[in-house]
Amino acid sequence: MERSNVINLAAGPSQLPLAVLEQAAAGILNYEGTGIGLVELSHRSKEFSQLTTSLEQEIRTFLDVPPTHVILFTQGGGCGQFSSVVYNLLARHHLLYPDLRPEERVMDYVITGSWSKKAAEEARKLGGGVVNIVADGREHSPTGKAFSSVPPHESWKISPAPAFVYYCENETVDGVQFSPDPQSPSSFPFHLLPQPTGSTAPVPLVADYSSSFLSRPIHNLADHALIYAGAQKNVGPAGLTILIVRKDLLVDTEAAAKLGAAPTPTTLSYKVLADAGSLYHTPPMFSMYVALLVVRYFRDRGGLATLEEANKTKQAKVYDAVERGTSSGIFKGKVKKESRSWMNVTFSIEDAELEKRFIADAESKGIKGVKGHRSVGGIRLSLYNAVTEEQIDRVVAFLDEFIANARSR
């Protein structure tokens, strides 16, 4: 099957613009006229140092990142940050409040899906403090077991003075996302965060943006202490993790360890990474190169405002088709309307044989990666930045055709 006939709706790694792939392929053979391929280039070379600087500058401009935050590049994916967050944020807490006992160090987690759940589990495993579940979306679902919405704000129980508050902006597996509308009941309730007093520092807000990074503006970006994202959804190939870190989180983890904090592995320390300009050791060079090409590609086509409008249109078209399937008794939506993800559309087909036919029919038409995550099943259509509106129209046509054929059987 020719590439032009394929629509890749996989949840990640995911589709990238063809022009970017072609440029990256050329760079593998000869990067910027050096006669050396990018994957052969020293990460200490002036050429790669310039690439790192350019990527940082492009992302800063694209998202309007304030000078209070540094942008870092590392490895380990989102799951690696589950541990890094705990090590670095508890180290900071020890430096600020050295006399507290472990049970007085509280880590607040908002659970809206599989990935925030895993992050909280990792925090419990690492210890050094107590995990408080601020809210759990399952408690507000029809079954009490599935994630179908952002928990209502009145159910949130944020600790009075936690070491940090953690949330996942878009849950890739479950298709739950915080609303960009501040007035929505599914928005993130910034007003509930504890306010600093004369004796307390601001509570750090940590967000996993892995599957929505660069898809639309980050609401209240400056109010976040840390935003991280794996690149393999909207930015580039797997292997790169992008961090936006407020400078007060760049703490001396070795000094914190002397005060009783768990020793932070050197390569997980945000300060070590920042002091080395993201080059403490060999970074994911190829992933960073492709990420730079991707950001420039979308910058030259209108930037974040254009992406936001396109993504808003794409998800609306697909959800409208899913609702037509739901009203016909073929599909069943999984997520409440106000909490639906723009990136990952999830639904189920109650008839198991019909679901198998859906996946096979999609594959035959070049629509790939539609099967839901193995932990929840069903169907998942991922609408990342590189999926075009023209491709979405083809997907919608397929959905409508499938619904019509299923009704006639």
Side-chain angles (χ1 to χ4, degrees):
M1 184 176 287
E2 294 294 326
R3 182 181 179 90
S4 60
N5 295 326
V6 171
I7 304 172
N8 183 358
L9 300 184
S14 54
Q15 182 170 305
L16 292 170
L18 179 59
V20 166
L21 295 176
E22 291 172 338
Q23 190 174 355
I28 289 177
L29 295 175
N30 186 345
Y31 177 71
E32 297 288 326
T34 60
I36 300 174
L38 186 281
V39 295
E40 306 166 302
L41 199 66
S42 168
H43 68 292
R44 302 295 182 190
S45 66
K46 69 177 187 300
E47 290 85 4
F48 191 76
S49 177
Q50 181 56 53
L51 187 155
T52 304
T53 300
S54 295
L55 180 56
E56 189 274 341
Q57 291 173 343
E58 292 285 1
I59 293 174
R60 184 175 296 278
T61 301
F62 206 91
L63 290 175
D64 194 21
V65 178
T68 50
H69 292 62
V70 297
I71 299 175
L72 305 174
F73 308 110
T74 187
Q75 297 156 320
C79 291
Q81 288 306 305
F82 294 169
S83 303
S84 295
V85 166
V86 174
Y87 282 124
N88 286 274
L89 273 294
L90 285 186
R92 174 184 181 273
H93 205 249
H94 271 272
L95 292 170
L96 289 171
Y97 311 108
D99 298 328
L100 294 181
R101 299 186 301 274
E103 59 270 22
E104 295 176 300
R105 302 188 190 278
V106 183
M107 300 173 279
D108 275 9
Y109 282 79
V110 182
I111 309 300
T112 52
S114 299
W115 293 115
S116 50
K117 175 175 172 286
K118 287 179 182 292
E121 290 169 350
E122 183 73 2
R124 285 198 187 95
K125 182 188 297 184
L126 293 175
V130 177
V131 171
N132 170 54
I133 303 303
V134 172
D136 189 325
R138 290 171 294 188
E139 297 175 359
H140 306 278
S141 70
T143 64
K145 298 178 180 179
F147 293 103
S148 61
S149 68
V150 171
H153 296 169
E154 60 269 20
S155 72
W156 289 40
K157 296 179 175 61
I158 297 178
S159 303
F164 59 89
V165 177
Y166 179 105
Y167 75 103
C168 179
E169 199 273 343
N170 181 65
E171 292 281 1
T172 320
V173 171
D174 308 279
V176 174
Q177 185 174 24
F178 284 86
S179 171
D181 178 5
Q183 305 306 314
S184 169
S186 290
S187 64
F188 188 90
F190 291 92
H191 64 282
L192 294 181
L193 293 173
Q195 297 303 307
T197 65
S199 60
T200 62
V203 172
L205 179 61
V206 178
D208 175 358
Y209 262 79
S210 290
S211 53
S212 57
F213 196 68
L214 300 190
S215 65
R216 65 190 189 194
I218 296 176
H219 189 56
N220 287 10
L221 187 154
D223 291 339
H224 291 76
L226 169 64
I227 292 167
Y228 71 81
Q232 68 275 14
K233 315 293 186 180
N234 278 319
V235 191
L240 169 64
T241 309
I242 300 168
L243 312 177
I244 301 176
V245 188
R246 200 173 63 208
K247 292 176 182 178
D248 64 289
L249 265 62
L250 305 177
V251 300
D252 186 340
T253 56
E254 292 186 4
K258 293 177 183 178
L259 295 174
T264 300
T266 302
T267 57
L268 299 187
S269 166
Y270 297 149
K271 185 177 188 301
V272 167
L273 193 61
D275 287 347
S278 296
L279 298 175
Y280 177 77
H281 58 115
T282 309
M285 296 173 63
F286 181 69
S287 297
M288 290 172 66
Y289 173 47
V290 178
L292 176 60
L293 299 180
V294 167
V295 178
R296 285 175 172 169
Y297 176 89
F298 287 115
R299 176 203 67 189
D300 293 343
R301 286 156 179 80
L304 196 57
T306 298
L307 276 175
E308 179 183 26
E309 190 60 34
N311 287 328
K312 184 177 182 180
T313 299
K314 284 156 48 180
Q315 59 89 27
K317 287 182 177 181
V318 174
Y319 280 117
D320 284 348
V322 171
E323 288 182 357
R324 290 193 290 272
T326 300
S327 63
S328 299
I330 310 300
F331 301 154
K332 183 178 180 181
K334 291 187 173 185
V335 180
K336 295 177 183 178
K337 189 170 184 177
E338 62 273 11
S339 299
R340 288 173 176 172
S341 169
W342 283 22
M343 296 286 100
N344 311 103
V345 177
T346 59
F347 58 95
S348 61
I349 301 174
E350 299 300 286
D351 185 315
E353 290 303 314
L354 199 58
E355 182 178 293
K356 291 179 182 177
R357 187 179 303 134
F358 180 95
I359 295 169
D361 287 356
E363 180 78 20
S364 71
K365 293 183 180 295
I367 302 173
K368 297 179 178 289
V370 303
K371 191 174 183 179
H373 191 274
R374 62 187 180 278
S375 64
V376 296
I379 303 298
R380 175 174 54 177
L381 311 179
S382 296
L383 318 179
Y384 296 126
N385 287 347
V387 179
T388 66
E389 289 188 55
E390 179 185 4
Q391 289 178 319
I392 290 299
D393 289 339
R394 287 171 54 191
V395 171
V396 169
F398 163 71
L399 293 173
D400 285 335
E401 179 184 1
F402 184 84
I403 293 165
N405 289 340
R407 291 179 63 186
S408 65
R409 286 191 174 98

